[in-house]
Amino acid sequence: MTTPRTPRKVFNRLSLPERTYVVDALRTETVGGVLLLAAAVAALIWANIPALRDSYASVSHFHFGPEALGLNLSVAHWAADGLLAVFFFVAGIELKRELVAGDLKDPKAAALPVVAALCGMAAPAVVYAVTNGVGGGSLAGWAVPTATDIAFALAVLAVIGTSLPSALRAFLLTLAVVDDLFAILIIAVFFTESLNFAALGGAAAGLAVFWLLLRKGVRGWYVYVPLALVIWGLMYNSGVHATIAGVAMGLMLRCHTREGESHSPGEHIEHLVRPLSAGLAVPLFALFSAGVSLSGGALADVFTRPETLGVVLGLVVGKTLGIFGGTWLTARFTKASLSDDLAWADVFAVATLAGIGFTVSLLIGELAFEGDAALTDEVKAAVLTGSLLAALLATVLLKIRNAKYRRMTEAEERDDDLSGVPDVYEEDDPAYHLRMAAIHERKAAEHRRIAAEMERARLAEVPGGAGEQGDGPA
């Protein structure tokens, strides 16, 4: 007799190690997202106050770096190509970890975030293409609304005070990792106009040396950091976007533990570099990319020009429908089913939140309309507008569900036996029930003691107590 297979639950409770990793990762991303939000606001203020506007342009376009190496770049260029390489390095480590130890390790479990991410990128591109096809606009920006900014999305969560269940947070994180991978592929394939094969060969050789040193177990930042800088410089001069070097090196790190290791090298390095990425690299990129001139006319143009309207609709409508539709299709046509604790309204709210596209969207906008400064600024304004609308819509939807989220989070955090492990992860452990039995016995004994003292006090208050003639009325 064969036992029927239990349907796999979508967004079911995470394992304890995975939950711990997700909580730690999202805590850093949330702090970084708040800094990113602050940097974006600072950039808009700096670029729109008349007395400061010229200084913003001067700083952004100030060039420095070795001319002989082809690296005499503007500050904005260093932020986009240099600092974002750190961001993509962390993204590469995250992707590697997901492939060897996370949700993407199991092909069946990986199907959901992969399909959701693909649909969440295809739908915005289609919305953009249709909008510009009807309006007679340029199709060059089709990739702008395809990316999700996980840090900005988590910053919104931090600001509105919503406690998403760990399973939904993990889905959002995994979705963003897959989204980043496809964004990297889009940048590499569609925004590489010409190649310097000598520099590209040098970058490939450097990556081979990087991989070999890792396999040989060589340690020391003083070895890898200079090598990484050389690889990045060669990749930049090859014509391929320099951030590809970051993700390639991240993917090479080992993210599974060996005997005697509490953490893999990839997890250790990610723990060290993630604060640098989330707290410095990405906010500085935002500071020198989000500073666009805003006026009533410029904001009105966002909704009238096909290129900018396509970006807004792609982020707000395309992202939501794509991710929600991809998730629903996966649950509909596979053996997966939605967790009993959640409703499809929860998935829709998270899909709306994924419509916040900022870091990578701004980067692709610069690449897509390079040479047209006016349109580049308008597309940046459209990214900001679309992200703001998606954030507001997600805030409303998440607030509606907030009470339910709070109850679920409290259940996940409860630790009545004070073991340091949430009770929901110990329900199959006999030792947990023995600890709980001892706790309840102590509580019962305490209640019996209190009841006895109260009874003695009550009898003491009766005139004559339980007097010798106890037949009289009290």
Side-chain angles (χ1 to χ4, degrees), residues 231-243:
I231 294 170
W232 176 85
L234 289 168
M235 189 69 76
Y236 175 82
N237 282 285
S238 73
V240 177
H241 200 270
T243 53

Side-chain angles (χ1 to χ4, degrees), residues 347-370:
V347 182
F348 188 84
V350 173
T352 305
L353 188 65
I356 300 175
F358 191 79
T359 305
V360 181
S361 290
L362 290 175
L363 175 62
I364 294 177
E366 292 180 355
L367 298 173
F369 299 104
E370 191 173 8

Side-chain angles (χ1 to χ4, degrees), residues 55-117:
S55 65
Y56 181 82
S58 298
V59 173
S60 297
H61 295 110
F62 177 77
H63 281 65
F64 68 97
E67 180 70 41
L69 299 178
L71 295 175
N72 185 246
L73 310 177
S74 68
V75 170
H77 211 159
W78 276 110
D81 283 4
L83 293 177
L84 275 196
V86 179
F87 167 79
F88 279 108
F89 174 70
V90 174
I93 300 175
E94 288 177 338
L95 179 60
K96 180 67 172 290
R97 185 197 170 278
E98 291 294 331
L99 289 170
V100 301
D103 286 344
L104 301 183
K105 180 180 180 181
D106 179 6
K108 293 180 180 178
L112 176 67
V114 170
V115 171

Side-chain angles (χ1 to χ4, degrees), residues 6-15 18-19 103 112 165-171 337-342 408 412 425:
T6 303
R8 185 174 61 84
K9 293 291 186 181
V10 177
F11 306 120
N12 212 1
R13 184 180 296 122
L14 301 178
S15 66
E18 186 70 9
R19 177 181 177 274
D103 286 344
L112 176 67
S166 59
L168 280 177
R169 285 176 172 256
F171 171 70
S337 61
L338 192 67
S339 172
D340 296 334
D341 293 329
L342 298 172
M408 292 175 64
E412 288 184 354
Y425 295 100

Side-chain angles (χ1 to χ4, degrees), residues 418-441:
L418 304 177
S419 66
V421 177
D423 294 341
V424 293
Y425 295 100
E426 297 184 300
E427 292 174 348
D428 296 328
D429 183 2
Y432 160 74
H433 293 284
L434 291 175
R435 288 194 298 271
M436 289 304 299
I439 290 172
H440 288 305
E441 287 168 2

